[in-house]
Amino acid sequence: MTRPSGRALDALRSVSLEPSVSLHAEGSCFAKFGNTHVLCTASIDERVPGFLRNSGKGWVTAEYGMLPRSTHSRIDREAARGKQGGRTLEIQRLIGRSLRAVTNLGALGERQIKIDCDVIQADGGTRTAAITGAWVALRIACERLLLAGAITQSPLTGQVAAISCGIYQGQAVLDLDYDEDSAAEIDANFVLTADGQLVEIQATGEEHPFSRASLNEMLDLAETGCNSLFDLQRRAVQDAGL
């Protein structure tokens, strides 16, 4: 079986994580997974949601959106439709959960960090690119809080990244692009931490049920892919001078 991109079964697309691309945001990262490009920014808000007031804890939340010409044909802005779609809500909640999994909210103090993930160009794997880039943006924002003396310890307890895997033409493959994603028999997204823990698995049998063996095969690929992403995240933070 030959993948449409010509990549090996266990090969990532060309991935780059460019830090500090936004002039005004406290943290930012431009994540490119092949032709999927996502701008991730982190904004510090000295207020917390109402349910956390006087708790001594902070919050990390996320918003996600696809720009009108991020896909083959123009899609309307959700603001113009008056509400967010179910897919958007699901993805931004996933991003928030993933980042909070490696955040000590008590160490953040009563402040909120809002992550915005805007898909400029989509070619499959937008949610996984968003999570991976969002961690870099969050790390930079937290470092700025430390340097300013606003907090005394980093609220981040580890790294988190995400990658897609799937069964395509009977073979487990890593980091699906759109051509594979649209034709995959099994489609899965894995969110992992750098110490080998699982945050979330989203797996769907698009054409038929799948076995535990297939899930394990995809998980093995995801661990290998995320290990490469963790290295790229650390390098991006270094490139930001932090």
Side-chain angles (χ1 to χ4, degrees):
M1 190 272 290
T2 301
R3 302 179 70 175
S5 63
R7 286 181 284 142
L9 302 180
D10 60 351
L12 291 167
R13 288 174 285 183
S14 175
V15 178
S16 67
L17 301 174
E18 184 181 354
S20 302
V21 294
S22 176
L23 176 63
H24 302 294
E26 283 81 10
S28 62
C29 178
F30 192 26
K32 294 182 179 180
F33 281 51
N35 287 324
T36 289
H37 301 168
V38 185
L39 175 62
C40 306
T41 59
S43 302
I44 297 170
D45 186 345
E46 293 298 330
R47 299 165 298 175
V48 292
F51 69 91
L52 282 174
R53 285 178 191 154
N54 302 316
S55 68
K57 293 183 178 180
W59 193 242
V60 176
T61 188
E63 293 188 12
Y64 166 96
M66 297 182 66
L67 297 188
R69 277 319 303 262
S70 58
T71 56
H72 293 95
S73 58
R74 186 186 187 278
I75 55 177
D76 290 336
R77 297 181 190 273
E78 289 183 317
R81 297 200 297 265
K83 67 176 183 177
Q84 292 177 306
R87 177 181 178 275
T88 296
L89 291 170
E90 179 232 333
I91 292 175
Q92 63 190 31
R93 287 169 181 162
L94 171 65
I95 298 167
R97 287 195 302 272
S98 301
L99 297 174
R100 290 193 297 273
V102 292
T103 304
N104 177 353
L105 297 176
L108 190 57
E110 284 200 31
R111 60 177 52 82
Q112 183 174 195
I113 300 182
K114 297 180 179 179
I115 306 295
D116 288 288
C117 298
D118 293 300
V119 179
I120 295 173
Q121 186 169 280
D123 187 39
T126 62
R127 72 187 68 193
T128 54
I131 291 168
T132 304
W135 182 87
V136 175
L138 177 61
R139 171 67 187 276
I140 294 171
C142 289
E143 291 296 327
R144 288 197 173 184
L145 284 171
L146 277 169
L147 290 170
I151 55 176
T152 58
Q153 67 180 86
S154 175
L156 290 181
T157 59
Q159 286 176 253
V160 67
I163 198 68
S164 64
C165 296
I167 305 296
Y168 176 76
Q169 294 187 7
Q171 296 285 334
V173 295
L174 178 67
D175 192 18
L176 282 67
D177 56 26
Y178 179 79
D179 288 338
E180 292 172 330
D181 187 39
S182 60
E185 302 148 48
I186 315 297
D187 182 22
N189 298 298
F190 296 86
V191 185
L192 289 85
T193 64
D195 59 355
Q197 300 293 303
L198 288 164
V199 175
E200 192 152 339
I201 298 175
Q202 300 177 329
T204 304
E206 300 285 357
E207 294 186 2
H208 52 73
F210 58 97
S211 66
R212 173 73 67 85
S214 292
L215 179 62
N216 289 340
E217 194 173 3
M218 290 187 290
L219 178 56
D220 288 342
L221 285 175
E223 288 181 332
T224 299
C226 280
N227 283 335
S228 297
L229 296 178
F230 294 134
D231 288 340
L232 290 171
Q233 286 178 328
R234 288 189 285 266
R235 196 176 309 159
V237 173
Q238 291 175 353
D239 289 345
L242 301 170

